[in-house]
Amino acid sequence: GQQVMQIPQYQHVQEGEDFTTYCNSSTTLSNIQWYKQRPGGHPVFLIQLVKSGEVKKQKRLTFQFGEAKKNSSLHITATQTTDVGTYFCAGPSIYNQGGKLIFGQGTELSVKP
Amino acid sequence: EPEVTQTPSHQVTQMGQEVILRCVPISNHLYFYWYRQILGQKVEFLVSFYNNEISEKSEIFDDQFSVERPDGSNFTLKIRSTKLEDSAMYFCATRGTRGGYGYTFGSGTRLTVV
């Protein structure tokens, strides 16, 4: 079945440093979505990318969707303590009509002030 | 901002007992999902529900699990005979028909089977 892998599993940074997490799917995705889960919280939708090679920015966050629509990345510039949490990528396969999302394992970001 | 509401927030149950987890979706959303997350692990798909029937289910969603939308508003997940390994956070998620807005997750029900 479809698998979504994310690396790294954990990332510890000093406040102000940059952070990147990478996501790879075993199958072509119709879109890629990114979610943030704060400790003890629930996943919160950040963004969706649909087009091959698409790049979107949200303030200090930059999201990229690969040309083959099988990989994606999230880059945070100059991290802040409010960025702490686990970042998940998730995508529905192009072969799946029901839109079910398969989640990566997540990258847990901790930021030291 | 519209929310997905889940009750209870925490449920402790004896092994073998039945539990029902409840979700109130966003009113104009038509696609409903249940996911679970074992502590510290990834979010796992259980089942999707559309037009009053199951669209897809995972291997986890065996005969002990069922879903229904009994009154047109609540969306429930029932586990008939709970096992220790069912202990997890269960999230309800919904989405509308317009693209680009992702899923809206509820705050979850923490199920503890003892």
Side-chain angles (χ1 to χ4, degrees):
Chain A
Q2 179 192 356
Q3 292 186 10
V4 178
M5 308 296 292
Q6 256 183 280
I7 56 168
Q9 190 174 358
Y10 303 99
Q11 184 83 55
H12 309 283
V13 301
Q14 195 76 33
E15 190 172 23
E17 291 181 341
D18 292 355
F19 159 77
T20 305
T21 173
Y22 299 92
C23 176
N24 279 285
S25 170
S26 58
T27 60
T28 305
L29 302 169
S30 60
N31 65 76
I32 189 84
Q33 300 177 26
W34 285 90
Y35 291 79
K36 178 182 179 181
Q37 185 176 29
R38 293 184 187 275
H42 58 279
V44 175
F45 175 72
L46 294 176
I47 207 161
Q48 176 177 297
L49 300 110
V50 179
K51 299 176 186 172
S52 168
E54 188 171 11
V55 177
K56 285 189 177 180
K57 292 192 175 187
Q58 284 181 350
K59 298 182 181 178
R60 294 179 294 105
L61 278 61
T62 302
F63 304 84
Q64 232 171 345
F65 199 12
E67 293 291 338
K69 300 184 75 172
K70 295 179 77 171
N71 61 291
S72 181
S73 65
L74 157 60
H75 180 81
I76 303 178
T77 304
T79 53
Q80 300 174 359
T81 54
T82 52
D83 295 326
V84 164
T86 301
Y87 292 85
F88 292 96
C89 64
S93 166
I94 58 172
Y95 307 108
N96 178 274
Q97 298 301 315
K100 107 186 163 191
L101 288 181
I102 299 299
F103 280 76
Q105 313 97 300
T107 297
E108 184 179 339
L109 173 64
S110 64
V111 180
K112 190 174 179 182
Chain B
E1 190 164 325
E3 289 185 345
V4 175
T5 305
Q6 285 188 247
T7 55
S9 56
H10 193 185
Q11 174 99 43
V12 181
T13 189
Q14 296 271 349
M15 191 169 55
Q17 294 296 304
E18 174 182 288
V19 295
I20 297 176
L21 311 182
R22 291 183 168 80
C23 168
V24 179
I26 293 172
S27 61
N28 61 347
H29 282 191
L30 300 179
Y31 297 87
F32 312 131
Y33 306 85
W34 283 101
Y35 282 80
R36 80 171 187 190
Q37 186 178 34
I38 294 169
L39 187 62
Q41 298 187 23
K42 69 176 180 180
V43 180
E44 298 178 291
F45 170 77
L46 291 179
V47 66
S48 57
F49 191 86
Y50 170 72
N51 203 24
N52 285 319
E53 60 182 25
I54 290 174
S55 311
E56 190 170 359
K57 55 187 180 180
S58 72
E59 294 172 352
I60 302 168
F61 195 90
D62 62 20
D63 292 346
Q64 295 300 312
F65 291 84
S66 63
V67 290
E68 63 176 2
R69 199 160 182 233
D71 55 11
S73 60
N74 289 289
F75 177 50
T76 62
L77 174 69
K78 182 193 291 186
I79 309 175
R80 288 190 188 81
S81 178
T82 49
K83 304 188 278 285
L84 294 176
E85 54 265 38
D86 293 328
S87 295
M89 183 71 94
Y90 287 80
F91 292 109
C92 173
T94 73
R95 71 177 175 98
T97 53
R98 291 179 64 193
Y101 296 94
Y103 287 17
T104 302
F105 280 81
S107 53
T109 294
R110 179 167 299 285
L111 177 65
T112 304
V113 182
V114 298

